[in-house]
Each structure stands twice: as C-alpha cells, then as structure tokens.
Amino acid sequence: DADRFEQHVAFFRRHMRPIGLQDVINAARGGPSLPRRALLLTFDDGDRSLIDVVMPTLREHGLPGVAFVIPGLLDSATPFWWDEVEDLVRAGGHPRRFEGRRPGELVSILKGLPTGERVRVIDELRRSSPVSPTPTPQLARRDLVSLEGTGVEIGNHTHSHVSLARSSHREAVDEIVRAHDLLTTALGHPPRAFAYPNGDWDPRAEEVLRGVGY
C-alpha cells in the first residue's frame, strides 16, 4: 500500500538511521561499526510493487534498500507458489494427503516438506482444481537494472524460492548457482547478498554460497 509505505518511510527517517548494504558489509569485515538504530530496508521475493511503490518512494526520500528476488519468475506471469496454492485450494483443489486443510494452513505445511514432495503436492493441486491459477505479472529483467539505478540493490533469493534446509545438496547447488548466474547476466555484475527463503539456514548451502563469492 503506497500510503502506508510512505508513512513507514517517514517514520524511519525520523527515528532510525537508514543504511545501505555496503555499510553492513564494511561492518562485517571489521570496518566502521554501524550507527545506533541502523536500519537496512530489505524486500523479499520481488513483487511488482517494488517498481510501482518502493522505487519512487525511496528515490523521493533518498533511501537505499535491497530486494531479494526469485530469478526463476522474471519475465513471466507465474504466481508465487504459495499464492498459487491458496488460490487452488479456494477453487476446490485438494491433495489427498492433506484433505480439508485451509489455504494458509496448507502453505505452512508445504514450507516444511522436502522440495520434491512439495512440488508433487502442488502438481496434485493443479490437477484436482477446476480452474487454473490467476496469472501474476512478475518483474522483468530490465526492472532489476532500474531498481539498482535508484539505490535498491538486487540480491539472490534462490532460483525458485525453495527451503535449502529441506533440499538435497544437488538441489541446493542448482538453486543458488542458477539464480546467481541469471542475476549476474541481468545486472551485468554478480549480486553481493543472499537471503534464505523462509529464513531456513543450511550449513551445506553456506559452503556453496562462499564458493560462489557471497
């Protein structure tokens, strides 16, 4: 919501010390400490409101930010999988194993399943639903360049938003590296920051991330 976001940003400017990603990197590497009430604005997943709401508001106030996007959805109308699940359940889709679950409840369950099992449940939902999911216009690759041009740096959020802690090692490597390569091509430089989907940290993924240069 544009008006609500404007109110939040005004509050941040009055009461916090907005900083950029480079300030965090410098502090983590032993450079200058962060100021009191330091605040790094981050945005997960890559909703179109980054272009329509976030970018003009932050540009007006001169604030930086970081957007962690899902490159597997760029230039598409594919909905976020959790939105698709809720739409399909409301439309009458029903996976046999989780019959009768409410839309939000099923999303929470699926976030805790191994990646392959989650994909199979969503496929069953699609087959059993009488309607197709609602198309959702996603960010385009050119939008990422526009965002960075106004101070919103782009970060890696895996290729398709999987829980790396619930993925095989091969799946984790593929999700991180494919996303990294796609973003590097779209931006013209490698992304510097990574955010774990759902906050599901994983030591195997940490090793992969270090190897790619995060």
Side-chain angles (χ1 to χ4, degrees):
D1 180 87
D3 292 337
R4 178 59 60 87
F5 185 61
E6 176 74 35
Q7 293 170 11
H8 287 178
V9 170
F11 177 89
F12 297 150
R13 291 198 65 187
R14 288 195 305 270
H15 301 289
M16 311 295 287
R17 290 287 298 278
I19 59 173
L21 178 61
Q22 188 62 52
D23 298 312
V24 178
I25 292 174
N26 290 343
R29 290 175 174 170
S33 298
L34 298 177
R36 290 182 66 251
R37 296 184 177 179
L39 174 71
L40 178 64
L41 287 173
T42 69
F43 307 87
D44 274 9
D45 306 330
D47 189 86
R48 285 288 312 173
S49 59
L50 280 167
I51 294 295
D52 304 330
V53 176
V54 170
M55 187 168 70
T57 303
L58 294 188
R59 180 170 52 201
E60 178 184 351
H61 290 276
L63 299 186
V66 186
F68 294 97
V69 304
I70 305 169
L73 297 179
L74 293 174
D75 296 304
S76 79
T78 304
F80 298 118
W81 72 256
W82 49 95
D83 289 338
E84 180 182 3
V85 165
E86 293 200 8
D87 283 348
L88 292 174
V89 172
R90 291 191 186 100
H94 50 89
R96 287 168 294 177
R97 180 180 169 189
F98 303 109
E99 194 78 46
R101 300 287 188 172
R102 295 187 300 275
E105 183 183 10
L106 181 56
V107 168
S108 296
I109 292 171
L110 294 182
K111 286 184 176 182
L113 294 181
T115 298
E117 190 172 350
R118 173 178 60 81
V119 170
R120 286 192 292 273
V121 172
I122 294 175
D123 284 342
E124 186 181 359
L125 268 174
R126 290 169 180 154
R127 291 193 302 270
S128 63
S129 174
V131 300
S132 299
T134 303
T136 303
Q138 299 286 357
L139 292 175
R141 297 186 185 207
R142 64 178 180 275
D143 293 328
L144 305 187
V145 177
S146 298
L147 284 162
E148 287 211 328
T150 57
V152 180
E153 189 160 343
I154 302 301
N156 186 339
H157 201 40
T158 73
H159 183 262
S160 62
H161 200 282
V162 301
S163 170
L164 294 176
R166 294 171 177 83
S167 301
S168 69
H169 182 69
R170 178 178 295 180
E171 288 169 338
V173 171
D174 182 64
E175 283 283 333
I176 291 169
V177 174
R178 285 180 70 191
H180 180 81
D181 291 345
L182 279 169
L183 291 176
T184 298
T185 299
L187 297 169
H189 65 82
R192 303 189 295 168
F194 180 89
Y196 282 88
N198 312 321
D200 291 337
W201 180 83
D202 183 78
R204 300 165 306 159
E206 194 81 356
E207 181 179 351
V208 176
L209 287 163
R210 284 199 299 269
V212 181
Y214 289 86

